[in-house]
């Protein structure tokens, strides 16, 4: 019988994103639910591991970076009333960052969490 591989989904937010989400009154449970929607294709796939997802009753836009769709990182947040979209240069930077995140090891991610640069908000491997 072939060995079955367990695929977990871990969701993080950067320390900057965390501050902005607090200001926007966006809860961690809303962020975790939104990742489920992203996995169902209910987000804008901007390519290169970059996704844009509407949050907070469509008042905010989040930029999410994915590592092989196993690690999701909420990277950037902006209010719809403040700007329409990110620039092409910003998108290029986010794609580069997503590529960098793809190279992170489990140990490096643990270090980012320990240093409070990342905050893990949900993990489907935990109850």
């Amino acid at each position: 019988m072939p060995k079955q591989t367990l695929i977990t989904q871990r969701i993080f937010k950067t320390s900057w994103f965390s501050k902005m989400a607090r200001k926007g009154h966006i809860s961690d449970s809303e962020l975790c639910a939104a990742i489920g929607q992203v996995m169902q294709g209910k987000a804008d796939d901007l390519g290169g591991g970059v996704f844009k997802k509407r949050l907070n009753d469509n008042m905010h836009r989040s930029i999410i970076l994915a590592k092989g769709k196993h690690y999701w990182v909420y990277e950037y947040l902006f209010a719809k009333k403040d700007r329409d979209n990110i620039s092409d240069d910003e998108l290029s930077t986010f794609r580069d960052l997503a590529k960098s995140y793809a190279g992170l090891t489990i140990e490096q991610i643990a270090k980012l969490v320990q240093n409070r640069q990342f905050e893990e908000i949900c993990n489907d491997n935990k109850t």
Side-chain angles (χ1 to χ4, degrees), residues 71-119:
Y71 300 121
W72 301 84
V73 180
Y74 279 98
E75 187 68 34
Y76 185 65
L77 181 70
F78 60 96
K80 181 181 171 184
K81 67 179 179 67
D82 293 338
R83 65 188 298 190
D84 291 330
N85 212 340
I86 59 173
S87 70
D88 289 341
D89 286 344
E90 288 171 312
L91 177 56
S92 178
T93 300
F94 287 132
R95 286 177 177 157
D96 290 343
L97 190 55
K99 192 174 187 179
S100 294
Y101 285 173
L104 292 175
T105 64
I106 292 171
E107 293 79 16
Q108 289 170 318
I109 290 172
K111 188 88 163 167
L112 288 167
V113 171
Q114 180 184 2
N115 293 337
R116 296 188 176 158
Q117 293 172 315
F118 278 11
E119 179 182 340

Side-chain angles (χ1 to χ4, degrees), residues 11-15 18 22 28 113 117-121:
I11 296 97
F12 302 92
K13 59 184 176 180
T14 64
S15 58
S18 184
R22 265 193 311 276
D28 288 352
V113 171
Q117 293 172 315
F118 278 11
E119 179 182 340
E120 189 163 14
I121 55 176

Side-chain angles (χ1 to χ4, degrees), residues 54-70:
R54 291 163 183 81
L55 298 171
N56 200 12
D57 293 325
N58 206 22
M59 292 175 28
H60 291 87
R61 304 289 188 267
S62 63
I63 299 296
I64 305 164
L65 307 181
K67 175 192 174 188
K69 298 187 181 177
H70 299 275

Side-chain angles (χ1 to χ4, degrees), residues 9-68:
Q9 300 293 322
R10 296 179 70 189
I11 296 97
F12 302 92
K13 59 184 176 180
T14 64
S15 58
W16 182 89
F17 187 97
S18 184
K19 290 175 199 169
M20 299 307 293
R22 265 193 311 276
K23 288 180 183 179
H25 305 287
I26 302 168
S27 69
D28 288 352
S29 60
E30 182 178 352
L31 296 175
C32 291
I35 291 296
Q37 294 170 353
V38 173
M39 288 188 278
Q40 294 171 0
K42 297 177 183 175
D44 297 324
D45 185 345
L46 304 178
V50 180
F51 296 84
K52 181 173 73 173
K53 177 69 179 140
R54 291 163 183 81
L55 298 171
N56 200 12
D57 293 325
N58 206 22
M59 292 175 28
H60 291 87
R61 304 289 188 267
S62 63
I63 299 296
I64 305 164
L65 307 181
K67 175 192 174 188

